[in-house]
Structures are given as structure tokens and as C-alpha cells.
Amino acid sequence: MSTAILTGTPVPGSPLEGDLRSLGFDVRTAPDAAAAVGLLAAVPPADRVALVDQRFVGHLHALRLALTDPRFPAAAVTGALTAQPEARAALSVALATVTNGTAANRTDAKADAAVRTGGAGLATGPGEPATRTASAELPLADRVGAALDADGTAVQHPELGSLVAAVPDGPAAREEALAAVAAVDDEAVRLRSAVKARDGFFTTFCISPYSRYVARWCARRGLTPNQVTTASLLTALVAAGCAATGTRGGYVAAGLLLLFSFVLDCTDGQLARYSLQYSTMGAWLDATFDRAKEYAYYAGLALGAARGGDDVWALALAAMVLQSVRHFVDFSFNEANADSTAATVNGKAVVGTPTTALSSRLDSVGWTVWVRRMIVLPIGERWAMIAVLTALTTPRIVFYALLAGCAFAACYTTAGRVLRSVTRKAVRTDRAAQALADLADTGPLAELVARAVRRPVRALPGVLPLLVALAGGAAAVGVAAFGPLDSPLLILGALVYVLTSGIAVAHRMGGPLDWLVPPVFRATEYGFLLVLAARADVPGALPAAFGLVAAVAYHHYDTVYRIRGGAGAPPRGLVRALGGHEGRTLLVAVLAALTTAESGLAPELTVIAVLVAVIALAESIRFWVSSGAPAVHDEGETA
């Protein structure tokens, strides 16, 4: 439930009360601040509550942005303030303080930050001059918002752009404000803001110009972003089924349906921004379903090719491995640098690197921005390429193009991030180090090794643990690629990987290149399975390995989305139950070494895949359904 308390002087003929009711608020009126205190106390603690000045003039979408966005405990524009249940106690204290007149001195100091007003009381954009208004002259909502800020409760002030939010003082100022409202098309601004600010070329110019209208159509019919996300998943699964037919007609239908699935994929985010329907569950569904759609489509292509006598399961698995590892490079780099601070020399911050300077120069030229966004093959360009090639060529050609494009994109982005890391002098926080440790997905075996060698490892040079992880991964994958599969040598390679993995995570992961450790682990585990299944050369081994990598990747992506959503990493019990990356690698090595050519490796990999999927999915669904994480919306791939 939501309750709006109108304060200040009533304005005859004002549409404000109707606007608030259209936003879902139960409207009550307080003739003075003392009455507002009483009304606030009567509102149930679990309800959202808003304070709105009755003189407010502005666009409906300005009120919507300030009063209905679920992501922020408290938010405000000029003349309107809202607080969700978690900020209600602070709001009550701030309102009582302002009402008793004890907040005047503190709110004066916060007036400029809390409310930016022009001479007529119109909200201004960033960088425009602001006129100081005495605290006592501010609307009650603005004074309470300043008191909240002063007492340590962050109040979100949404960017309004050309939208108006004002509390005009007098008839002339009100007429000016009303004229400013009439001069801006509220709905056009709302539609534009529904589109993600930074997107790829294909999405920006080929999808968003019309998908925003699809989003509005959905909003007007009461559809939710989660329903659109689910429709996108179902469409992609049907596309994968069409591809699995192995016919030219099936491939054409698959390509068209994949493009339509992507339109819906863009629409769900635009619908969330258009109607401010952000949710933790929505973020998880949007991000997780993107991976499920793409990898299911790879499997559909592989099945279709097999119907035509062409076995491309190894290529399908390689594409999934490459794409997943590439994502983890992005995730790890971003987590490592999310809250890092510039290093200091002689008390001065060391800022800027040759890499960032070159990047800034390239971004100053319009066409280079779009080229750089396209060459990293983001989801829009990637799915468009897959769809077109599916319709016109064969699954083998689709995977060749996909592997070549993703390999180039991975080299480009990874090289740039490595250069930034080694040239930028930065201090990474304990939070970032813990995030990288969580992304590592270390199991009980590597934990034991880490405890045993922690003291000597901490004395090693910063880059050495990463090199040890690389060496261990290369040893495990190398033995799987070139050694005999039915010998203890395979198990020995996996044991070396267990040892080196423990050494790699035994020290604090705060070095400039430590963000590479989790992607190295992902590449090793997935690559080990790929090489082993390809060399086994028995029916069903590669599809089973595909399923196992998909199940494990789900667990790894889920870890990322929990961290990005502010909910922390999965419980250690889950990670230990799944064995960790090194434990699963050792288990597969033991099974492969003990498996005869006649029995094959497929049944064992299938059983492990099912167990991992059931355990990871059960815990993931339990967490996200009951999660108290902040409401967010996934903004898509960073690459």
C-alpha cells in the first residue's frame, strides 16, 4: 500500500490529488506540519508514504520517478518526498524534528543539495545556477528531505532532464510553471528514458526505435516485465526447437524467432524503466534467461546439424565456454574496480593512464564509439549475426563465425583491461577482494590447500599466484588434451590443478591482475570438460559435457548476479556441496581414468550434470523468491 500526505496551502483546481491516485496512492490532507506528524503515525509501518506540497506543479512522470521507484529507500523532487518501509523510522524522526523547529540550522546547510530551484521555483538541470531559498521558506517535504540527508539517510534525487517539478510561490510563478509543463511532452520524455542510455549499434538503431512502443503497449495492458521476460524465453526455446529440426525452413523460422525473442528481451527492460517496475526477481530472470536462451539455441543448432549428419557438438560447447569465460572477464574486472580508489604519491592521487587517455580520445569521435561497441560483439550484434547466419547458412558456419567473433572480442576487451590494470595505480578495497574470492568458487579441497600454505604464499610477489593458477590450469587441460585418458596421469593433472588453485586463493586478492584468477578457473574447468569429451570420442559424451558445463555455468552466473544485486555470494554450504571448480574437475578426471571405452563417459557426466543442476537451481530459486535484496534491473552485458 502507498499513502500520500498533502501538505501546505490548498490550490483550487489542482490536478495533484488525481495524479497521486493514478500512481496508486491513498491521498490524505494535513493542514499543517503537526497534522502531518499524526497522519504519518497512523499509516501502517509496512506502507510506502509520501509527503507532497499541495502547491506542486510538474509533470506526472516527475512525480512517478520520485515517488514510485522501488530501488531507493527515500527519494525526492522539489515539493515531493517518499520513503519506503525501511526509511519510515528515519522519516518520522525527520518530520518531528522539522515540525519542532530544531532542524532549521541543519537543513540550511543541506538546502542546495536537497533542492535545486530557480528564481521561479522550477527544478533545474545539472550545472544550472541555483538560488538559495531559506530553510523556513522551503516546502515541508524539502525540509524533511534535507533533515533525512543530514541524519544520514540517503535521499535519491532522480534526474529530471526537461521534466518540471516545482512549488511556485504566487500566481505569476504558478503560471510560469504551468507554461513550462505544457511546453514539454511528458510521454515523449518517458518513452525516451525507457531506452537504455548506453547500448550497442544494432539495439540502438534497429530495435529500440520500435520496441519502446511495444513496452508502452504492454504497460497499458497491465503486463509486467517478468511476463515479457518469460515470453522472450519461451520464444527463444521455440526457436531452438525449430533449429533442431535440421531443415532449411526450420532454420529460417529459428532465425526469425530468435530476433523476435531479442525484441522482447529489449522490451522487458524498457517496460521496467517505463513503468518503474524494478524487482530483484526481475533482475535475476532477465539476466539468467539471457544465458538460458542463447545456450539452448546452441544446443538446438547442434541437434539440427546432427540430423543432417554433421556433428558440431564440440563447436557448440566451445562457443558456450568462450562466451561464459568472456563474461567472467567482464564480471571480475568490474567487481575488482567497482569501488577502488586512486593510489597516492606524496599525498596526491595518481589518476589517468595511457589506456584510458586513448579510450577518451577515441570516444571523442562519434563513429569510433559505435565501432568499439560493435567489435566487442554485444548481445544485439551477436544474436543478429546468429539469426541471419542460421537462416542463410549451416550450423557449422554459424559456430565458426561465432567463435571467431567472440575470440576477437575477448582478446580486445581482455587486453585493454590488462593494460588498464597494470598502468593504473589503484588501491582495491576489501569488498572487491572478497567479491573476487567469492567468484573463484573455491571448493573444500582448494580450501585445505590454501589454509596449509597461506603464510608462505602471502610473502610471494603479487602476480605469482595468478601465474601459478595459469600453470595449474594449463597442466590440467594439457594432460586432458595430449595424455592418455585411461591412466593415472589424468588424475595427477587434476591434483596439480587442486594444489595450484589453493595457492592462488591463499592470499588477499587485491593485486592489479588478481581479477583474472576467477576467469582462469572458469576456462580451466570448462576447457577440461570440452577437451575430455571431445577426445573420448564416444556417443553422447559431448552433449553430456554440454549439459554439465551449462549446469555449472548457471551456478557461476548466479553467483555473479547475487553479488551484483547486493545480496552477497551463495552460502558456503552450497559451494562445498557442489565441490568447487577444482573438486568437480578432479571428480571428472577420476571417472574418465576409470571408465572403459565400452561404457563411455556420457552416463557419468550426465549424472553429475543432473546433480549440479538440481542442487544449484533449488538453492537459487529458494534464494531469489525469498530474497530481501534491493530492487534492481539488469542492464545487460557490459561488453
Side-chain angles (χ1 to χ4, degrees), residues 20-38:
L20 290 170
R21 292 189 190 281
S22 73
L23 295 177
F25 284 90
D26 176 27
V27 180
R28 305 177 187 181
T29 302
D32 53 38
V37 172

Side-chain angles (χ1 to χ4, degrees), residues 73-74 87 90 94 106 110 144-155:
R106 286 184 296 166
K110 290 286 183 177
V144 173
L148 279 173
D149 265 334
D151 289 337
T153 299
V155 179

Side-chain angles (χ1 to χ4, degrees), residues 5 22 56 66 98 126 158 172 175 183 186 203 206 289 337 366 484 490 493 538 545 577 579 592 603 619 627 633:
I5 300 174
S22 73
F56 178 89
V98 169
E175 289 301 320
D186 176 271
T203 304
C206 300
F289 283 5
N337 294 281
L490 188 63
V538 294
E619 162 57 24
S627 173
H633 189 80

Side-chain angles (χ1 to χ4, degrees), residues 5 12 19 32 36 57 147 267 286 291 332 375 416 448 530 638:
I5 300 174
D19 287 346
D32 53 38
V57 173
T267 299
D286 186 47
R291 305 286 76 78
S332 295
I375 62 176
L448 288 174
L530 168 62
T638 56

Side-chain angles (χ1 to χ4, degrees), residues 59-61 160 162-164 179-193 213 216 220:
H59 289 99
L60 177 61
H61 194 51
L160 297 182
S162 58
L163 297 176
V164 174
V181 171
V184 176
D185 186 343
D186 176 271
E187 181 62 19
V189 173
R190 189 182 178 190
L191 271 174
R192 285 198 303 270
S193 63
Y213 296 101
R216 183 173 66 180
R220 291 178 174 177

Side-chain angles (χ1 to χ4, degrees), residues 38-381:
L39 287 176
L40 177 61
V43 176
D47 289 4
R48 175 196 286 270
V49 68
L51 295 178
V52 185
D53 195 289
Q54 296 196 75
R55 298 167 296 166
F56 178 89
V57 173
H59 289 99
L60 177 61
H61 194 51
L63 279 177
R64 183 182 289 108
L65 289 171
L67 304 184
T68 66
D69 194 325
R71 295 174 296 174
F72 310 108
V77 294
T78 302
L81 167 73
T82 188
Q84 294 206 68
E86 56 265 38
R88 280 286 304 280
L91 176 65
S92 298
V93 172
L95 179 59
T97 302
V98 169
T99 303
N100 294 332
T102 58
N105 292 334
R106 286 184 296 166
T107 55
D108 270 337
K110 290 286 183 177
D112 282 339
V115 183
R116 299 185 57 82
T117 61
L122 296 179
T124 62
E128 298 181 22
T131 300
R132 167 63 69 93
T133 304
S135 172
E137 299 172 359
L138 289 173
L140 177 63
D142 298 347
R143 285 182 279 146
V144 173
L148 279 173
D149 265 334
D151 289 337
T153 299
V155 179
Q156 172 70 15
H157 296 275
E159 290 289 340
L160 297 182
S162 58
L163 297 176
V164 174
V167 180
D169 187 11
R174 185 173 182 83
E175 289 301 320
E176 182 182 347
L178 289 170
V181 171
V184 176
D185 186 343
D186 176 271
E187 181 62 19
V189 173
R190 189 182 178 190
L191 271 174
R192 285 198 303 270
S193 63
V195 177
K196 192 162 58 177
R198 186 183 184 277
D199 226 328
F201 181 90
F202 178 77
T203 304
T204 299
F205 294 104
C206 300
I207 303 297
S208 293
Y210 58 87
S211 62
R212 70 184 75 180
Y213 296 101
V214 178
R216 183 173 66 180
W217 183 89
C218 293
R220 291 178 174 177
R221 282 152 184 82
L223 297 176
T224 67
N226 289 354
Q227 290 171 334
V228 177
T229 302
T230 303
S232 176
L233 172 67
L234 294 176
T235 304
L237 293 179
V238 173
C242 291
T245 63
T247 64
R248 178 52 51 197
Y251 290 148
V252 172
L256 292 174
L257 287 170
L258 186 65
L259 286 176
F260 182 61
S261 174
F262 183 65
V263 172
L264 294 176
D265 185 55
C266 295
T267 299
D268 65 359
Q270 291 165 358
L271 175 59
R273 287 182 285 272
Y274 180 84
S275 56
L276 300 182
Q277 296 184 73
Y278 302 107
S279 69
T280 303
M281 175 68 75
W284 173 64
L285 290 177
D286 186 47
T288 304
F289 283 5
D290 276 353
R291 305 286 76 78
K293 288 181 285 189
E294 186 166 4
Y295 298 158
Y297 193 82
Y298 293 174
L301 286 174
L303 289 170
R307 286 179 177 273
D310 189 12
D311 187 354
V312 297
W313 275 106
L315 296 177
L317 179 53
M320 181 165 65
V321 169
L322 179 56
Q323 189 60 27
S324 299
V325 173
R326 178 187 165 210
H327 280 146
F328 261 84
V329 169
D330 296 340
F331 298 147
S332 295
F333 178 81
N334 291 335
E335 287 302 324
N337 294 281
D339 51 5
S340 63
T341 56
T344 57
V345 176
N346 298 325
K348 295 183 179 180
V350 180
V351 297
T353 68
T355 308
T356 54
L358 175 60
S359 179
S360 298
R361 284 197 297 271
L362 290 173
D363 282 344
S364 66
V365 182
W367 65 270
T368 64
V369 175
W370 294 114
V371 170
R372 294 176 68 203
R373 291 186 190 179
M374 291 174 67
I375 62 176
V376 299
L377 210 61
I379 188 169
E381 276 74 1

